[in-house]
Amino acid sequence: MGSVYGHIFRLSSFGESHGVGIGGVIDGVPSGFTLDFEAIQHELDRRKPGQSAIVTQRKEADEVEFFSGIFEGKTTGTPIGFLVRNTNQKSQDYNSMNAAFRPSHADFTYQQKYGIRDPRGGGRSSARETVARVVAGAIAKQVLATIGVRIDAFVDQVGSIRWEGTWSTDLAQVRENNVVRVPDMETAEQMENLIREVRKDGDTIGGCVRCVITGTPVGLGEPVFDKLHAELGKAMLSINAVKGFTIGSGFEGVEMRGSQHNDAFTAGGATLTNHSGGIQGGISNGMPIDFRVAFKPVATIMTEQQTIDTNLEETTLTGTGRHDPCVVPRAVPIVEAMAAMVILDFYLRQKATF
Amino acid sequence: MGSVYGHIFRLSSFGESHGVGIGGVIDGVPSGFTLDFEAIQHELDRRKPGQSAIVTQRKEADEVEFFSGIFEGKTTGTPIGFLVRNTNQKSQDYNSMNAAFRPSHADFTYQQKYGIRDPRGGGRSSARETVARVVAGAIAKQVLATIGVRIDAFVDQVGSIRWEGTWSTDLAQVRENNVVRVPDMETAEQMENLIREVRKDGDTIGGCVRCVITGTPVGLGEPVFDKLHAELGKAMLSINAVKGFTIGSGFEGVEMRGSQHNDAFTAGGATLTNHSGGIQGGISNGMPIDFRVAFKPVATIMTEQQTIDTNLEETTLTGTGRHDPCVVPRAVPIVEAMAAMVILDFYLRQKATF
Amino acid sequence: MGSVYGHIFRLSSFGESHGVGIGGVIDGVPSGFTLDFEAIQHELDRRKPGQSAIVTQRKEADEVEFFSGIFEGKTTGTPIGFLVRNTNQKSQDYNSMNAAFRPSHADFTYQQKYGIRDPRGGGRSSARETVARVVAGAIAKQVLATIGVRIDAFVDQVGSIRWEGTWSTDLAQVRENNVVRVPDMETAEQMENLIREVRKDGDTIGGCVRCVITGTPVGLGEPVFDKLHAELGKAMLSINAVKGFTIGSGFEGVEMRGSQHNDAFTAGGATLTNHSGGIQGGISNGMPIDFRVAFKPVATIMTEQQTIDTNLEETTLTGTGRHDPCVVPRAVPIVEAMAAMVILDFYLRQKATF
Amino acid sequence: MGSVYGHIFRLSSFGESHGVGIGGVIDGVPSGFTLDFEAIQHELDRRKPGQSAIVTQRKEADEVEFFSGIFEGKTTGTPIGFLVRNTNQKSQDYNSMNAAFRPSHADFTYQQKYGIRDPRGGGRSSARETVARVVAGAIAKQVLATIGVRIDAFVDQVGSIRWEGTWSTDLAQVRENNVVRVPDMETAEQMENLIREVRKDGDTIGGCVRCVITGTPVGLGEPVFDKLHAELGKAMLSINAVKGFTIGSGFEGVEMRGSQHNDAFTAGGATLTNHSGGIQGGISNGMPIDFRVAFKPVATIMTEQQTIDTNLEETTLTGTGRHDPCVVPRAVPIVEAMAAMVILDFYLRQKATF
């Protein structure tokens, strides 16, 4: 019962990796907004499998059909229903895996929770589910752009290779020019090499995505529980394979003293540093919102592992199927999508004042 | 409008640091449960200021009055209203601070968002607000104990001093025997010395709290958005001063390969390692739930800082008032409280099945 | 933003009368339940236009496509996405009506609220939207049947002709044997004649649907705001053309004295009378839940009416298109569907206890 | 778990009739609003027992203590916690009633649902609970007044005596000048005599409250489920003793033809008639919102009734305690309060647009 997200701009998502498709209903979309359908497709393409040699070689058209809520290209304020059909399921790839639970995957917990599961390709627990998020996020992103909000995610770590440069939106094109989506071509090459090496071993590797949001108005966030960064954290942690979220100084700030960490104000309300990551007391302060998301290595690997069968007795399993050796390049548009959904929802909540 | 937390077990909290008090309404409490009022007070005492030389010297009785929902010591299933009165407000401490925004505090964002704020001691943005969470969490903890769920938080880092030992519930008493709440007396002494030194400088320091939950039934969590660790993340990030959340391997898992990171199953469903932190696919797997929370250094420091006044023009400010040099010792019961609220809420949601 | 219904069993609906179709996502469906697809289609057929001479002559196949949440005929506990395509839209029928607001229809208010609307056939405000409710309700009905809950709605009034007989489930077949769906063949004939006469005049007429639910367990309902009859009332009032809702004695009970109205208990907890309509204090008491719903005459009539154009200046309008002269025969399955959604949602909420 | 009401302007209520008191938390109150505390007290006084000879003779001070969310008389946008203490409980009045379930009261259903109940004076199911609604509603009413919304409820029926005059706000003072709260002194006298007679018999009688809301902006309401009148219906049906709700023509409209019932538009968007009751398609149209609420006769009567004891075996019971012979005079401010909460919540939801 947890497939509805948002308070006002609200996505109700559905779909499994090897069923008819992935889709959803977006309620609370502002009315009278002219949608850029190509831009939506562009975001789906950024998430799509088969884009490059370092991601899964599954091919999916990932074209979205809209069913409602749009009249002559404009949103009508009524719910937008949509579907992205699955076209390239190879269910037979999963046959050998049905009888055993894949380690660190959701097979076991879904089976225990629901007493039943769609075993084809992970079913609902597959990252294919994020297609619906990308559609909703692409719409949110467009709406936000009209008020000057810009959302850029990028890879800043793969394994232990980390890019620690200074982000600026000038680097957005560099990021798109390499298959890893890191804002530096040299680091990109190193990361790509690492991913290729890991894949050759039939193995996988983790990575981090950083996201910077500029242009957010001051005042978004609803303390004390629905703090802006708390909801961003939930949104990111709800993405497959995410194990950590930090905002601003994060775990590094722990080692700082208050006198170093405090962001001194300058006239007008900007701050000299941004250890706060653009949010103070759960409310945006107008500085760039800046957070990082940790993705674990993909669970499906091509080497033999110790596991259990459906009787919970020990067996072994060797992964098959076409999987990403590292998820972060394709996670970039997903992080942006969830960020857009959160920021727009809080923007609309903030308008619900007298 | 963000002061309500939870779906079924739901806290609606209120109160400011220097007003009448902090309180709330807890709706959805299971009926017929005999409350242990001393245990509730014990949790409030763990959070209370003035417990030791390394925390703020404010004195608060922090006694809770219950208004409803309890008959002859038992919960009736109707909402529990409660209040913890503020008794030791020194509002004058804040006079000098009214005219200037404290750097990295919520003064500026509250003022911008609401156009008005209660300037006494931070008002609603003060960590005193967490008193309501501790009351609700203490009740949740008791209910959870009856099904074998146990929640232990402890400090594992202050500044750059980190305890990396192996937690076991045997260490719970050690944790309570030192003022830092770290499960090792030697580390405790080092951390305490660091905190004293920082305080002497009129400065503050960050820290981390780790939380381990045992006995959680398999199957809690509601994918795809309300994943158990996503909601735990939101709950933790909603606590004052928190800048990061990780579950299981967290940011360290990023550097691992899938073959190292995967938790091999053993007969019955347990796993050899617990990089997943007790949750797979957003659903508890029966292993200990294990997460870490990063707290930044407290913003109020006793040295002069560059800031702005209410006209957004530059000025300087030197903090006054009685503040914690490091929040983590007092954050331990707050982390446990929020964890208990989340786990109980998901337990009840899981029961809402056919 | 009001297209999501329910707390645990939750429908997120979408679609307009003359767009691609009507559909939705149902989240919170219990897992492992074998669906009877014919029974779902049967409910859609009961709602379908063109069933008899006294309803609209539009023809719609009204076949439902399911996209997710079902594996080998069983629910998996994940969201069920679905679509019922529109096949028989005659958009040109509405051309003349685009320029003027139809009196007592939602054209004017939608235009004012959203600043835009899909003018074809009422768009989102069309009763065609209820198709999604019937699909979700048909699933809820099946789940409820397994615990012995049975829901029967029927027409008990058309214009001033009222059937005041005693309902029993034996009459269910009689109800289905006549086109008005009244549990008495003689009354059915009178009502049918009235509807034919009204239609001949290019006019429309109102009516009432009564609904009786048997087998509801004692204890459903969540006071003080989410009382069972309050939520049933909301659910019914959300159906197109509904202007009133009563439970048990309703407005007639107003004229009674307490000594007449009180339902005396008999051993075991049943009551001699059922003026309460099966609910006391907002909680089901095990007696039949019994309520009535008032439907106004359909707004679209075939005679000339005074109205305004989109500049809010006066004009006249004569309705065209194919409309029901009286909605209640087709409203019967819609009332049952919403009742089923409410009862199942409260049944699941009641299970969310310790 | 149903004690939270509203989406943005949200009341979380608590309290029992014979416990410490009744209170709540109001989240989502607009900030910077100067509260008129006397006006809040005035609404509580209108609801208060002991106002006249025809209502219960219990005496309650019904003074509200505010705990938070207000600074120097102004709302700060943070939650408002409050308590109205119970001062005049005579618990012994209820002793004889503990052992038996009062017919048509909530004793039986609460006991069955929760397995426990506070038996003193009905506990949570007592109409005393509505005190919290009146406080929240009084605040909502004040906020709404600043945008020209005015809410007037009045009694229009007691037993079979009905006032069918034309309401205008000129009659507001007449309504307050008689103890029944009907806008006509002569009818008031007849109704008062009926109530006195009924009380002399140890009996009770039902009645109706009509409510007229003027000045509501066009465009409030969130189809398809959260239609404005659907939520008003739920709000009213959640008030103790309510068995029916109609808007506009209600059950009388059923007997009309479309050609009679349709509200013809006049230039500018007003309508000649108001059978719609100010709402079309679930959205306010700018005409007065006009609805009626049916209250059954109070269940507690002073004559012997057939009932069952806690073993569900037959016994008899004669009511004691101080009860209203007819609730509608005191229900007037409660109906206004719930209406205000609904309208303000929808007003704020409508502002949550781009």
Side-chain angles (χ1 to χ4, degrees):
Chain A
M1 70 186 83
S3 287
V4 180
Y5 194 77
H7 288 77
I8 288 172
F9 183 88
R10 196 154 41 159
L11 170 64
S12 186
S13 114
F14 69 82
E16 286 91 30
S17 59
H18 286 62
V20 177
I22 304 289
V25 184
I26 314 168
D27 198 14
V29 183
S31 63
F33 186 82
T34 303
L35 287 177
D36 179 341
F37 295 98
E38 279 179 32
I40 298 170
Q41 190 58 51
H42 175 66
E43 295 296 338
L44 283 168
D45 290 346
R46 291 173 82 208
R47 199 215 73 93
K48 210 159 70 167
Q51 297 169 63
S52 77
I54 61 161
V55 301
T56 171
Q57 293 309 300
R58 284 194 312 275
K59 293 275 177 197
E60 291 282 358
D62 280 359
E63 279 167 18
V64 60
E65 297 169 60
F66 288 106
F67 295 140
S68 62
I70 302 165
F71 184 63
E72 298 178 347
K74 279 192 175 159
T75 59
T76 59
T78 62
I80 296 179
F82 66 93
L83 176 69
V84 175
R85 289 182 186 273
N86 296 328
T87 54
N88 189 259
Q89 318 95 314
K90 291 200 184 172
S91 297
Q92 65 277 23
D93 282 348
Y94 298 93
N95 289 350
S96 64
M97 293 200 288
N98 290 357
F101 294 119
R102 290 173 291 176
S104 288
H105 211 288
D107 298 343
F108 173 74
T109 51
Y110 267 69
Q111 184 68 43
Q112 298 299 313
K113 181 179 182 71
Y114 299 109
I116 184 176
R117 73 200 155 91
D118 184 339
R120 301 166 301 171
R124 182 72 178 148
S125 73
S126 164
R128 183 147 181 78
E129 161 263 309
T130 59
V131 160
R133 305 175 185 227
V134 170
V135 173
I139 292 174
K141 226 175 173 181
Q142 289 180 35
V143 176
L144 286 169
T146 67
I147 54 158
V149 176
R150 174 177 177 144
I151 298 172
D152 284 286
F154 51 89
V155 170
D156 78 345
Q157 187 170 349
V158 171
S160 49
I161 305 171
R162 184 166 174 185
W163 177 77
E164 302 200 68
T166 304
W167 169 258
S168 84
T169 53
D170 301 340
L171 298 175
Q173 197 48 57
V174 179
R175 171 196 57 193
E176 294 301 311
N177 287 347
N178 66 76
V179 294
V180 187
R181 291 207 171 86
V182 65
D184 179 79
M185 294 308 282
E186 201 175 325
T187 315
E189 202 184 319
Q190 291 167 34
M191 288 176 173
E192 192 183 338
N193 289 339
L194 173 58
I195 296 171
R196 285 176 185 277
E197 185 189 310
V198 160
R199 191 187 48 182
K200 217 168 52 196
D201 298 345
D203 214 337
T204 59
I205 187 88
C208 289
V209 173
R210 186 175 149 205
C211 184
V212 180
I213 307 171
T214 54
T216 307
V218 184
L220 307 194
E222 299 295 335
V224 294
F225 297 119
D226 297 350
K227 287 176 173 160
L228 184 54
H229 61 289
E231 201 66 48
L232 283 168
K234 176 179 169 180
M236 298 306 141
L237 288 156
S238 79
I239 300 173
N240 305 49
V242 173
K243 305 301 283 181
F245 170 86
T246 58
I247 177 112
S249 60
F251 281 87
E252 287 148 33
V254 163
E255 307 193 14
M256 295 167 81
R257 292 193 171 204
S259 54
Q260 300 169 284
H261 190 274
N262 281 356
D263 295 318
F265 281 110
T266 58
T271 59
L272 285 177
T273 50
N274 188 20
H275 295 122
S276 297
I279 298 173
Q280 281 165 336
I283 299 169
S284 60
N285 68 355
M287 295 293 290
I289 295 172
D290 195 337
F291 61 84
R292 284 185 89 219
V293 187
F295 290 80
K296 68 167 187 173
V298 172
T300 308
I301 56 176
M302 301 300 132
T303 51
E304 191 180 271
Q305 297 177 84
Q306 175 181 340
T307 188
I308 49 174
D309 60 24
T310 51
N311 298 317
L312 310 190
E313 282 163 19
E314 296 198 358
T315 181
T316 60
L317 177 75
T318 302
T320 58
R322 295 154 300 169
H323 295 276
D324 289 280
C326 180
V327 293
V328 286
R330 292 177 57 212
V332 163
I334 303 167
V335 165
E336 290 179 359
M338 290 307 295
M341 285 171 61
V342 170
I343 299 294
L344 180 55
D345 193 38
F346 276 91
Y347 179 77
L348 296 174
R349 288 176 84 177
Q350 174 61 6
K351 298 205 75 170
T353 54
F354 202 67
Chain B
M1 72 188 81
S3 287
V4 180
Y5 194 78
H7 288 77
I8 289 173
F9 183 88
R10 198 154 38 159
L11 170 64
S12 186
S13 114
F14 68 81
E16 286 92 30
S17 60
H18 287 61
V20 178
I22 305 289
V25 183
I26 314 167
D27 198 14
V29 184
S31 63
F33 185 81
T34 303
L35 288 176
D36 178 342
F37 295 98
E38 278 179 34
I40 298 170
Q41 190 58 51
H42 174 66
E43 295 296 338
L44 283 169
D45 290 346
R46 291 174 80 206
R47 198 214 74 95
K48 209 160 68 167
Q51 296 169 65
S52 76
I54 62 162
V55 300
T56 172
Q57 294 309 300
R58 285 194 312 274
K59 294 275 179 195
E60 290 282 357
D62 281 358
E63 278 167 19
V64 59
E65 297 169 61
F66 288 106
F67 295 141
S68 62
I70 301 164
F71 184 63
E72 297 179 345
K74 280 193 174 158
T75 59
T76 60
T78 62
I80 296 178
F82 66 92
L83 176 68
V84 174
R85 290 181 185 274
N86 296 328
T87 53
N88 189 258
Q89 317 94 316
K90 289 201 183 172
S91 296
Q92 65 277 24
D93 282 349
Y94 297 94
N95 289 350
S96 63
M97 294 200 287
N98 290 357
F101 294 119
R102 291 172 291 176
S104 288
H105 211 288
D107 298 343
F108 173 74
T109 51
Y110 267 69
Q111 184 67 44
Q112 299 298 313
K113 181 179 183 71
Y114 299 108
I116 182 176
R117 73 200 155 92
D118 184 340
R120 300 166 301 170
R124 182 71 179 149
S125 73
S126 163
R128 182 145 183 80
E129 162 263 308
T130 57
V131 160
R133 306 176 185 226
V134 170
V135 172
I139 292 174
K141 225 176 174 181
Q142 288 182 34
V143 176
L144 286 169
T146 67
I147 54 158
V149 176
R150 175 178 174 143
I151 299 172
D152 284 286
F154 51 89
V155 170
D156 78 346
Q157 187 169 349
V158 171
S160 50
I161 305 171
R162 184 168 173 185
W163 177 77
E164 303 201 69
T166 304
W167 169 258
S168 84
T169 52
D170 299 342
L171 298 175
Q173 196 50 55
V174 179
R175 171 196 57 190
E176 294 301 311
N177 286 348
N178 65 78
V179 293
V180 188
R181 291 207 171 88
V182 64
D184 178 80
M185 294 308 282
E186 202 176 326
T187 314
E189 202 183 320
Q190 292 167 33
M191 289 175 172
E192 192 183 338
N193 288 340
L194 174 58
I195 297 171
R196 285 174 185 277
E197 185 189 309
V198 160
R199 190 185 50 181
K200 218 168 52 195
D201 298 345
D203 215 336
T204 59
I205 187 89
C208 290
V209 173
R210 185 175 149 204
C211 184
V212 180
I213 308 172
T214 53
T216 308
V218 183
L220 306 195
E222 299 295 335
V224 294
F225 297 118
D226 296 351
K227 287 174 174 162
L228 184 54
H229 60 290
E231 201 64 49
L232 282 168
K234 177 179 169 180
M236 296 308 140
L237 288 155
S238 79
I239 299 172
N240 305 51
V242 172
K243 305 301 283 182
F245 171 85
T246 58
I247 177 115
S249 60
F251 282 86
E252 287 149 33
V254 163
E255 306 193 15
M256 294 167 80
R257 292 195 169 202
S259 54
Q260 300 169 284
H261 191 274
N262 280 356
D263 295 318
F265 280 111
T266 58
T271 59
L272 284 177
T273 50
N274 188 19
H275 295 121
S276 298
I279 298 174
Q280 281 165 338
I283 299 169
S284 61
N285 69 355
M287 295 293 290
I289 295 172
D290 194 337
F291 61 84
R292 283 185 90 220
V293 187
F295 290 80
K296 68 167 186 174
V298 172
T300 307
I301 56 177
M302 301 301 133
T303 52
E304 192 181 89
Q305 298 178 83
Q306 175 182 339
T307 189
I308 49 175
D309 61 24
T310 52
N311 298 318
L312 310 190
E313 282 163 20
E314 296 199 358
T315 182
T316 59
L317 178 75
T318 303
T320 57
R322 296 153 300 169
H323 295 275
D324 289 280
C326 180
V327 293
V328 287
R330 291 178 58 211
V332 164
I334 303 167
V335 165
E336 291 179 358
M338 290 307 294
M341 285 171 62
V342 170
I343 300 293
L344 180 55
D345 194 37
F346 276 90
Y347 179 77
L348 297 174
R349 288 175 85 178
Q350 174 62 6
K351 296 205 75 168
T353 53
F354 203 69
Chain C
M1 70 188 83
S3 286
V4 180
Y5 195 78
H7 288 77
I8 288 172
F9 183 88
R10 196 153 41 159
L11 170 64
S12 185
S13 114
F14 68 82
E16 286 91 31
S17 59
H18 286 62
V20 177
I22 305 289
V25 183
I26 314 168
D27 198 14
V29 184
S31 63
F33 186 81
T34 303
L35 287 177
D36 179 342
F37 295 98
E38 280 179 32
I40 298 170
Q41 191 57 52
H42 175 65
E43 295 296 338
L44 283 168
D45 291 346
R46 292 174 81 206
R47 199 215 74 95
K48 209 159 70 167
Q51 298 169 64
S52 76
I54 61 163
V55 300
T56 172
Q57 293 310 301
R58 287 194 311 274
K59 294 276 178 195
E60 290 282 357
D62 280 359
E63 278 167 18
V64 60
E65 298 170 60
F66 288 106
F67 294 140
S68 62
I70 301 165
F71 184 64
E72 297 179 346
K74 280 192 175 159
T75 59
T76 59
T78 62
I80 296 178
F82 66 93
L83 176 68
V84 175
R85 289 180 187 276
N86 296 328
T87 54
N88 190 259
Q89 318 95 314
K90 289 200 183 172
S91 296
Q92 65 277 24
D93 282 348
Y94 298 92
N95 289 349
S96 64
M97 294 200 286
N98 290 357
F101 294 120
R102 290 172 291 176
S104 288
H105 212 287
D107 298 344
F108 173 74
T109 52
Y110 266 70
Q111 184 67 44
Q112 298 301 312
K113 180 180 183 71
Y114 299 108
I116 183 177
R117 72 199 156 91
D118 184 339
R120 300 167 300 170
R124 182 72 178 148
S125 74
S126 164
R128 182 146 182 79
E129 160 262 309
T130 58
V131 160
R133 305 176 186 226
V134 171
V135 172
I139 292 174
K141 226 175 174 181
Q142 289 180 35
V143 176
L144 286 170
T146 67
I147 53 157
V149 176
R150 173 176 178 146
I151 298 173
D152 284 285
F154 51 89
V155 170
D156 78 346
Q157 188 169 350
V158 171
S160 50
I161 305 171
R162 184 166 174 187
W163 176 76
E164 302 202 68
T166 304
W167 168 259
S168 84
T169 53
D170 300 341
L171 297 175
Q173 197 48 56
V174 179
R175 171 196 58 192
E176 294 301 311
N177 286 347
N178 67 78
V179 293
V180 187
R181 290 206 171 89
V182 65
D184 178 79
M185 293 309 282
E186 202 175 325
T187 314
E189 202 184 319
Q190 291 168 33
M191 288 176 172
E192 192 183 337
N193 288 340
L194 173 59
I195 295 171
R196 286 176 184 278
E197 186 189 309
V198 161
R199 191 186 49 181
K200 217 169 52 195
D201 297 346
D203 215 337
T204 59
I205 187 86
C208 289
V209 173
R210 186 176 150 204
C211 184
V212 180
I213 307 171
T214 53
T216 308
V218 183
L220 307 194
E222 299 295 335
V224 294
F225 297 118
D226 297 351
K227 287 175 172 161
L228 184 54
H229 60 290
E231 201 65 48
L232 283 168
K234 176 179 170 180
M236 298 306 141
L237 288 155
S238 79
I239 300 172
N240 305 50
V242 172
K243 305 300 283 183
F245 171 85
T246 57
I247 177 114
S249 61
F251 282 86
E252 287 148 34
V254 164
E255 307 193 14
M256 294 167 80
R257 292 195 170 202
S259 54
Q260 299 168 285
H261 191 274
N262 281 356
D263 295 317
F265 280 110
T266 58
T271 59
L272 284 178
T273 51
N274 188 20
H275 295 121
S276 297
I279 298 173
Q280 280 165 339
I283 300 169
S284 60
N285 70 354
M287 294 293 290
I289 294 173
D290 194 338
F291 60 84
R292 283 185 89 219
V293 187
F295 290 80
K296 69 167 187 173
V298 172
T300 308
I301 56 176
M302 301 301 133
T303 52
E304 192 180 88
Q305 298 178 85
Q306 175 183 338
T307 188
I308 50 176
D309 60 24
T310 51
N311 298 318
L312 309 191
E313 282 162 20
E314 296 199 358
T315 182
T316 59
L317 178 75
T318 303
T320 57
R322 296 153 299 169
H323 295 276
D324 289 279
C326 180
V327 293
V328 286
R330 291 178 58 211
V332 163
I334 303 167
V335 165
E336 290 179 358
M338 290 306 294
M341 285 171 61
V342 170
I343 299 293
L344 179 56
D345 194 38
F346 276 91
Y347 179 76
L348 296 174
R349 288 176 85 178
Q350 174 61 8
K351 296 204 76 168
T353 53
F354 202 67
Chain D
M1 72 188 82
S3 287
V4 180
Y5 195 78
H7 288 77
I8 288 172
F9 183 89
R10 196 153 42 158
L11 170 65
S12 187
S13 116
F14 69 82
E16 286 91 29
S17 59
H18 285 62
V20 177
I22 305 289
V25 183
I26 314 168
D27 198 14
V29 184
S31 64
F33 185 81
T34 303
L35 287 177
D36 179 342
F37 295 97
E38 278 179 34
I40 297 169
Q41 189 59 49
H42 174 66
E43 295 296 339
L44 283 168
D45 290 346
R46 290 173 83 208
R47 198 214 73 95
K48 208 158 70 166
Q51 296 168 64
S52 77
I54 61 162
V55 301
T56 172
Q57 294 309 301
R58 286 193 312 274
K59 294 276 178 195
E60 290 282 358
D62 280 0
E63 279 168 16
V64 60
E65 297 169 62
F66 288 107
F67 295 139
S68 62
I70 302 164
F71 183 63
E72 297 178 347
K74 280 191 175 160
T75 58
T76 60
T78 62
I80 296 179
F82 66 91
L83 176 69
V84 176
R85 289 181 186 275
N86 296 327
T87 53
N88 190 259
Q89 317 96 314
K90 291 199 183 172
S91 297
Q92 65 276 25
D93 282 348
Y94 297 93
N95 289 349
S96 64
M97 294 201 287
N98 291 357
F101 294 120
R102 290 172 292 175
S104 288
H105 212 287
D107 298 343
F108 174 75
T109 51
Y110 267 68
Q111 184 68 43
Q112 298 299 313
K113 181 180 183 71
Y114 299 108
I116 183 177
R117 72 198 156 93
D118 184 340
R120 300 165 301 169
R124 182 72 178 148
S125 73
S126 164
R128 183 147 181 79
E129 162 263 309
T130 58
V131 160
R133 306 176 184 226
V134 171
V135 173
I139 292 174
K141 226 175 174 181
Q142 289 180 34
V143 176
L144 286 169
T146 67
I147 54 158
V149 176
R150 175 178 175 145
I151 298 172
D152 283 287
F154 50 90
V155 170
D156 79 346
Q157 188 170 349
V158 172
S160 49
I161 305 171
R162 183 166 174 185
W163 177 77
E164 303 201 68
T166 304
W167 169 259
S168 84
T169 52
D170 300 342
L171 297 175
Q173 196 49 57
V174 179
R175 171 196 56 191
E176 295 300 311
N177 287 347
N178 66 77
V179 293
V180 187
R181 292 206 171 89
V182 63
D184 179 79
M185 294 309 281
E186 203 175 326
T187 314
E189 202 183 319
Q190 291 166 32
M191 289 176 172
E192 191 183 338
N193 288 340
L194 174 57
I195 296 171
R196 286 176 184 276
E197 186 189 309
V198 161
R199 190 186 49 181
K200 218 169 51 195
D201 297 345
D203 215 338
T204 59
I205 187 88
C208 289
V209 173
R210 186 176 150 204
C211 183
V212 180
I213 307 172
T214 54
T216 308
V218 184
L220 306 195
E222 299 295 335
V224 295
F225 297 119
D226 297 350
K227 287 175 173 161
L228 184 54
H229 60 290
E231 201 66 47
L232 282 168
K234 176 178 169 181
M236 297 307 141
L237 287 155
S238 79
I239 299 172
N240 305 51
V242 172
K243 306 300 283 182
F245 171 85
T246 58
I247 178 112
S249 60
F251 282 85
E252 286 148 35
V254 163
E255 307 193 13
M256 294 167 80
R257 292 194 170 203
S259 55
Q260 300 168 283
H261 190 273
N262 281 356
D263 295 317
F265 280 111
T266 58
T271 59
L272 285 177
T273 50
N274 188 20
H275 294 121
S276 298
I279 298 173
Q280 281 165 338
I283 299 169
S284 59
N285 68 354
M287 296 292 290
I289 294 173
D290 195 338
F291 61 83
R292 284 185 89 219
V293 187
F295 291 80
K296 68 167 187 173
V298 173
T300 308
I301 56 177
M302 301 300 133
T303 51
E304 191 181 270
Q305 298 178 83
Q306 175 183 338
T307 190
I308 49 175
D309 60 25
T310 51
N311 298 317
L312 310 191
E313 282 163 21
E314 297 198 358
T315 181
T316 60
L317 177 76
T318 303
T320 58
R322 295 153 301 166
H323 296 276
D324 289 280
C326 181
V327 293
V328 286
R330 292 177 58 209
V332 164
I334 303 167
V335 165
E336 290 180 358
M338 290 307 295
M341 285 171 61
V342 169
I343 300 294
L344 179 56
D345 193 38
F346 276 91
Y347 179 77
L348 296 174
R349 288 176 83 177
Q350 173 62 6
K351 297 205 75 169
T353 54
F354 202 69

